[in-house]
Amino acid sequence: MLYSKNCRFTLLVTLCLSCFWSHAAKVDSLEVFSASMNKTYKAAVVVPNSYATSKATYPVLYLLHGGGGHFRDWLTSTPDKMLVKNLADQYNLIIVMPEGETFAWYLDSPANPNSKFETHIIKEVIPKIDGTYRTVRSNKGRVITGLSMGGHGAMYLSTRHPDLFCAAGSMSGALDMNWTKFKINEDFAKSLKNGFQQLMGSDDPTNDVYFKNSIVNMVETIKKNALPIMIDCGVDDFLVDINRELHQRLVYNNVPHDYIERPGGHTWGYWENALPYHLLFFHKILKGHGVTVN
């Protein structure tokens, strides 16, 4: 009798889980050929459950990973492995997580011709997504955010291509490429110096190539573009001073933006908590553009 009850209980749990998973967002692994780098990269694409039964066009969030990471980080590294799927379902939008390599900074390297990730995202990933899925194919339905290196990348790409995005965010962003401003130990600083040497062609962070590619120095362009911006960083993060610096520059230049500091450091626990706030911020903007899916 006990065995029979246990079997029935196990069957019930299995059926409940099957029902739950069948009504959750799905993850596609999409291959994107990069003509600019003559290489195929992957992107993870989370498609909300409603997509299968709807004929609507969907807004898209581009969600960038950080330094040392890869395209699947947001799916595998958060404490809650359902975070991105649940947010895609909650807000009925497609979430795209492209490859940015471990230290490419989402820009076209002035020193390495095989590292062109601004071109990859803008001219290869976005057209591939729009050609594969039913998306809002204008800046009214496209938003971007990311963590750390990806926070800088999201701000950098949106600032340089305001015709493609309607809002941008940054979580714990490395918003100045001058690594000597990071609150880090000597070994980490040496590692960054070597990485930047290969990427930028110089190990001098005061070099003009660093200055013109750092989002902290693009306030005039940010103001001209007038895109809604959300920036947040933990008070214990080694990048918090750089985030405060950009915030102060934006305030001084009367640039509207949302800025948040909350307890936490440079951790997945912090970013798991931060991402839903970014989605809420973006949802209000997308709703204002009339592109949300009910």
Side-chain angles (χ1 to χ4, degrees):
M1 188 60 150
L2 180 60
Y3 175 78
S4 177
K5 287 183 178 180
N6 286 341
C7 285
R8 287 199 296 270
F9 177 76
T10 301
L11 178 60
L12 179 61
V13 171
T14 301
L15 288 173
C16 288
L17 288 174
S18 297
C19 181
F20 173 78
W21 287 111
S22 66
H23 290 84
K26 71 169 186 172
V27 181
D28 293 338
S29 184
L30 195 67
E31 291 191 343
V32 184
F33 177 70
S34 173
S36 63
M37 294 181 279
N38 194 30
K39 184 176 180 180
T40 297
Y41 287 99
K42 287 187 176 181
V45 183
V46 176
V47 182
N49 179 62
S50 65
Y51 184 89
T53 57
S54 173
K55 295 182 180 180
T57 55
Y58 282 67
V60 181
L61 163 65
Y62 286 84
L63 182 58
L64 308 184
H65 66 77
H70 290 289
F71 73 101
R72 292 189 65 86
D73 282 7
W74 275 103
L75 296 174
T76 61
S77 298
T78 53
D80 177 7
K81 300 301 182 288
M82 290 295 293
L83 174 69
V84 177
K85 295 178 185 178
N86 288 340
L87 288 172
D89 278 338
Q90 180 180 350
Y91 291 103
N92 270 331
L93 83 170
I94 295 170
I95 301 179
V96 178
M97 290 153 283
E99 179 60 58
E101 284 292 5
T102 58
F103 205 79
W105 285 78
Y106 301 98
L107 52 80
D108 287 354
S109 169
N112 182 359
N114 296 314
S115 183
K116 296 183 177 181
F117 281 87
E118 178 181 8
T119 294
H120 180 56
I121 302 296
I122 298 301
K123 295 187 177 180
E124 295 164 349
V125 175
I126 291 177
K128 179 71 172 183
I129 296 300
D130 287 346
T132 304
Y133 301 93
R134 294 191 315 275
T135 61
V136 179
R137 299 180 184 182
S138 75
N139 63 345
K140 291 184 178 181
R142 207 178 284 125
V143 294
I144 187 169
T145 191
L147 68 89
S148 195
M149 180 183 81
H152 184 277
M155 293 293 296
Y156 181 85
L157 294 173
S158 61
T159 299
R160 288 172 58 83
H161 303 277
D163 56 315
L164 294 179
F165 303 97
C166 66
S170 169
M171 290 168 271
S172 309
L175 303 175
D176 191 336
M177 299 179 78
N178 183 348
W179 75 89
T180 62
K181 296 181 180 180
F182 299 0
K183 290 183 176 180
I184 54 178
N185 61 42
E186 186 176 343
D187 288 341
F188 192 7
K190 184 177 180 180
S191 174
L192 290 178
K193 181 178 180 179
N194 292 336
F196 277 118
Q197 165 67 44
Q198 296 176 43
L199 181 70
M200 308 301 283
S202 169
D203 62 2
D204 177 8
T206 65
N207 188 295
D208 185 59
V209 72
Y210 284 85
F211 184 90
K212 69 180 183 181
N213 281 292
S214 292
I215 194 66
V216 73
N217 301 316
M218 300 182 185
V219 172
E220 289 185 7
T221 305
I222 293 172
K223 183 174 183 177
K224 178 182 176 181
N225 292 342
L227 293 185
I229 294 169
M230 181 178 187
I231 300 168
D232 76 77
C233 191
V235 295
D236 300 314
D237 198 298
F238 65 85
L239 296 170
V240 68
D241 287 347
I242 292 173
N243 280 262
R244 289 170 178 167
E245 181 178 356
L246 177 58
H247 167 55
Q248 291 165 3
R249 292 188 185 191
L250 293 171
V251 169
Y252 181 81
N253 285 276
N254 297 311
V255 181
H257 65 289
D258 279 26
Y259 180 79
I260 300 170
E261 286 186 16
R262 63 173 70 89
H266 211 74
T267 67
W268 278 105
Y270 180 88
W271 302 320
E272 176 176 288
N273 183 51
L275 185 59
Y277 290 95
H278 284 244
L279 266 294
L280 178 61
F281 177 78
F282 291 144
H283 178 72
K284 292 179 179 179
I285 295 161
L286 295 169
K287 187 175 182 179
H289 291 164
V291 299
T292 53
V293 178
N294 297 322

